[in-house]
Structures are given as structure tokens and as C-alpha cells.
Amino acid sequence: MSDTKFTPRVFSGIQPTNHLQLGNYLGAVKRFVEMQNSGVETIYCIVDLHAITVWQDPADLTHATRELAASYIASGLDPAKSILFNQSQVAEHAQLGWIFNCVARMGWMNRMTQFKDKAGKDREKASVGLFSYPTLMAADILLYHTTHVPVGEDQKQHLELTRDIAMKFNNDFGVDFFPLTEPVIEGVATRIMSLRDGTKKMSKSDPSDMSRINMTDDADTIAKKIRKAKTDPDPLPEALEGLDDRPEARNLVNIYAALAEKPAEDVIAEFAGQQFGTFKPALAELAVEKLAPISSEMDRLMQDPAEIDRILAQGAARAREIAAPILAKTYEIIGMVR
Ligand code: TYM
């Protein structure tokens, strides 16, 4: 159930680290475009402040920020319909993030699995920012009184924390100020898995480039990665349940379904009994057909970085118009002298 006091508003973000991969596209960006085109107000951010929770080379960060903006636009996000901007241009994110550092409890933060995964064995060397990452994410969302956040499955815990923060803030100050935001984790592509290991999610940071399809890969690379994707020796089953213990096969079927915009059942019906020798080339052809236009449009947009910067600056100005009064009201609720 959505919070009815608040008008529907969608916000989501992606980190500008490495190239966008197919999981980000199918699990996030493609959904962003659908929501934009459904007519609801949409705000999509490039979360550069989150990116620096782990080391980023400055020139690479600049490039990745522009490239992600180019992927947004090439995938169908329209700066006239959606607000597109990079987080660091709207200082209110960091300001509200600080306040939420004072709302969130250490016990909640200590349960965040992403910190444990990302910090790895040597937690003492992780940045403080990596630990408090989820409070900044809550700020991103609540700064706009966001009602819905489209994300992949891996962000679920962060969205729960965002609701806990909103609830505690509202309770502590006796207000009904921040909404209880709904995660939107829907469709076949909420968890696209690695092409090399069907039990690991596809990720920008996997050391093996063969584990993922990057949005910048050319047609030959995409075809090669799909051809080499790990599978099992059996043909595709007659029904979806036949994929239950076959994570790699299930993943390729899900990717096909998401790209073709069909239910996975229909894909199984179409390929039942066929070998991967038939299915993989069909998948590669579909992937190239859907992704090649996006990557060539990205290339075109990247020829004009000044235009990308202009779009981001304009988006940031529009974002600030929404964010500034909400932050001002937050300070007032807390009792800060303004
Ligand atoms: P990030 O940059 O890791 O990923 C961006 C989006 O892509 C989704 N995703 C996937 N979906 C399906 N299959 C996969 N293999 C896969 N890999 C990634 C993620 O779930 C995400 O939706 N913390 C966020 C960024 C963020 C944010 C926010 C998101 C910061 N502030 C506010 C929403 C709202 C992150 O690291 O995403």
C-alpha cells in the first residue's frame, strides 16, 4: 500500500563506476524508461557521491558519469520528461545524509549485507562512507518525498532501511513528514546472474569481463560472451519448473524474456526441447538487436560532452527546486535556527 498523502514520484540512481552492464540495464534503466513513459514524475540520478565510497580515479569518474548519462538518454530517458542529474550537484543530498546518520542506529547499519560484501575481510580499511552508504541512499530517496523506487533485488535491504529511517524520523519528531517509500522490484530481470556462475549476480565489479555484457560491448563481443556462457548439457525443458535447479539456464531464459519483453513461460514454450546450440545464437541475435542501437547512440552522445554536462546541470537545477524546500522543512522540524 502506498502512502496516499504523497503524490506519486519515482526516484532511482545508479553508481558511475565502470560501464553499465546488462543487469543494470534490464533490472533498472529499462524499468526507469517504462515508469517515465507511464506519465508519473520521474527523477533519475547518477550517484557520484556513492561511487567514491571506494576509490575512483578522478578522470575515470568524470568519464563514467558522462557515460552513464549517455546510457540513460540512449536507453530512452528523456531530459524533457525525467529529471536527470548527478548527485554531487545537489548539495542537499549530503546535507540530508548527515541528518540521517543521526537517525539511523548502529545496530541497523551493522546488519547491512552490502557493506559486509563490499568491505570483505579487511573491514578496518573500508571507508567510513562505505559504512554509511545506506543513509545517503535514504537521503537521495526521501529528499524528494519519493513514493516509488525501481531497483533490482540487491537493493531491497537498503529500501527497508530507508523506510525505517523515515518512520523513526516521523516518530521522533511527531510528524508525518517523510513517506514510507515502496520499492518496485518487479519483472523477470530483478536479479540477472553472472554468465560464468549462475549463483552470483552479474556485476560491474566482477573481475571477469566474460561474466557480464557491458552496454559498450560490440556485436561480436556480445555474441562471444553468450556463446561461452556457462550452461548444462540438457535441452531446454517443456515448462518453467524444469529450470528450478538449473541457475545458468534459468538466467539465460530470463535475459531472453526481459529483452524480448515476454514472460519467461513464453520463451520456454518457444524453445522447449531445444539445445543451447540453438538457443544461444537466438539469444545473441536478440541481444545485439536490442543493445546495438543503444551503444551506438551512446557513442554519438559521448562525442559532445558539453551537451551532456548541460543536461546534467539543468537536471540538477530542477532537482534542487524540489529538494531545497524539503530540506529546509526538515531543518525546521529538527529545530535548527535558519
Ligand atoms: P548500482 O549502481 O549497484 O546498480 C544500479 C541498479 O542496477 C540494479 N542491478 C541489477 N539488477 C538486476 N540484475 C543485476 N545483476 C543487477 N546489478 C545491479 C541495482 O539493483 C540497481 O537498481 N545503491 C544503488 C544506487 C543508489 C540508489 C539510490 C538506488 C544510490 N542511491 C537511491 C535507488 C535509489 C546501487 O549501488 O546501485
Side-chain angles (χ1 to χ4, degrees):
M1 260 280 296
S2 272
D3 230 320
T4 45
K5 177 180 161 226
F6 297 90
T7 28
R9 184 179 280 150
V10 170
F11 179 99
S12 199
I14 298 184
Q15 298 191 62
T17 48
N18 303 326
H19 302 300
L20 205 71
Q21 42 84 6
L22 187 65
N24 301 130
Y25 173 67
L26 295 176
V29 182
K30 199 163 180 301
R31 313 290 320 286
F32 297 179
V33 178
E34 288 160 15
M35 291 186 122
Q36 165 192 271
N37 295 341
S38 76
V40 67
E41 184 179 7
T42 43
I43 307 175
Y44 297 120
C45 189
I46 296 169
V47 292
D48 47 8
L49 296 173
H50 278 111
I52 61 162
T53 56
V54 298
W55 170 251
Q56 302 298 328
D57 172 83
D60 292 348
L61 179 64
T62 308
H63 184 266
T65 301
R66 291 184 179 132
E67 190 182 273
L68 183 51
S71 331
Y72 276 180
I73 299 165
S75 301
L77 292 181
D78 176 350
K81 290 190 189 155
S82 292
I83 298 181
L84 308 179
F85 71 108
N86 58 312
Q87 190 185 25
S88 62
Q89 294 208 67
V90 180
E92 284 82 354
H93 287 249
Q95 291 173 288
L96 188 62
W98 175 258
I99 292 170
F100 288 167
N101 276 341
C102 303
V103 174
R105 305 290 94 184
M106 286 297 285
W108 305 355
M109 301 298 286
N110 280 328
R111 284 195 287 275
M112 293 290 113
T113 55
Q114 186 170 295
F115 175 74
K116 291 178 197 160
D117 293 347
K118 288 205 173 168
K121 288 199 187 72
D122 203 355
R123 279 206 213 177
E124 298 288 309
K125 288 230 172 85
S127 74
V128 177
L130 190 66
F131 184 74
S132 68
Y133 180 113
T135 56
L136 179 61
M137 178 161 162
D140 298 339
I141 295 167
L142 295 174
L143 188 55
Y144 301 93
H145 280 178
T146 301
T147 57
H148 295 87
V149 181
V151 279
E153 176 74 39
D154 60 346
Q155 297 300 312
K156 198 168 174 211
Q157 198 186 29
H158 289 157
L159 269 296
E160 283 161 4
L161 184 93
T162 301
R163 292 168 66 96
D164 289 342
I165 288 176
M167 229 176 312
K168 180 161 166 51
F169 184 96
N170 289 347
N171 267 328
D172 286 352
F173 295 100
V175 292
D176 182 15
F177 184 61
F178 287 119
L180 299 183
T181 308
E182 296 284 338
V184 185
I185 305 173
E186 286 169 357
V188 277
T190 57
R191 193 168 171 81
I192 297 294
M193 309 310 276
S194 155
L195 298 179
R196 307 303 300 163
D197 177 351
T199 63
K200 262 174 55 185
K201 75 168 184 178
M202 186 179 284
S203 156
K204 286 182 267 191
S205 54
D206 193 309
S208 163
D209 194 56
M210 292 299 285
S211 71
R212 65 180 159 262
I213 291 170
N214 303 303
M215 297 304 286
T216 46
D217 285 345
D218 60 26
D220 287 349
T221 311
I222 293 174
K224 185 175 93 190
K225 286 177 174 177
I226 292 176
R227 198 168 60 241
K228 300 216 160 180
K230 189 178 162 201
T231 40
D232 55 47
D234 297 335
L236 285 164
E238 302 290 328
L240 210 50
E241 299 75 57
L243 292 175
D244 283 352
D245 304 317
R246 300 172 64 188
E248 284 87 9
R250 170 90 220 202
N251 189 40
L252 294 185
V253 168
N254 281 349
I255 293 175
Y256 193 103
L259 287 169
E261 302 179 4
K262 284 182 184 168
E265 287 83 358
D266 291 10
V267 179
I268 285 295
E270 195 179 331
F271 290 96
Q274 308 232 26
Q275 298 290 339
F276 283 102
T278 315
F279 181 69
K280 281 179 166 180
L283 175 59
E285 195 183 324
L286 177 66
V288 170
E289 178 197 319
K290 299 285 179 178
L291 304 180
I294 299 177
S295 80
S296 60
E297 179 62 4
M298 277 171 67
D299 282 348
R300 194 188 66 78
L301 292 162
M302 286 299 280
Q303 305 297 314
D304 189 358
E307 172 62 8
I308 293 180
D309 294 1
R310 197 189 57 77
I311 290 170
L312 293 177
Q314 252 178 15
R318 287 169 65 202
R320 216 175 297 117
E321 276 173 30
I322 304 172
I326 292 178
L327 181 73
K329 184 71 189 166
T330 309
Y331 280 142
E332 189 191 312
I333 291 169
I334 296 172
M336 304 283 188
V337 174
R338 311 302 299 151

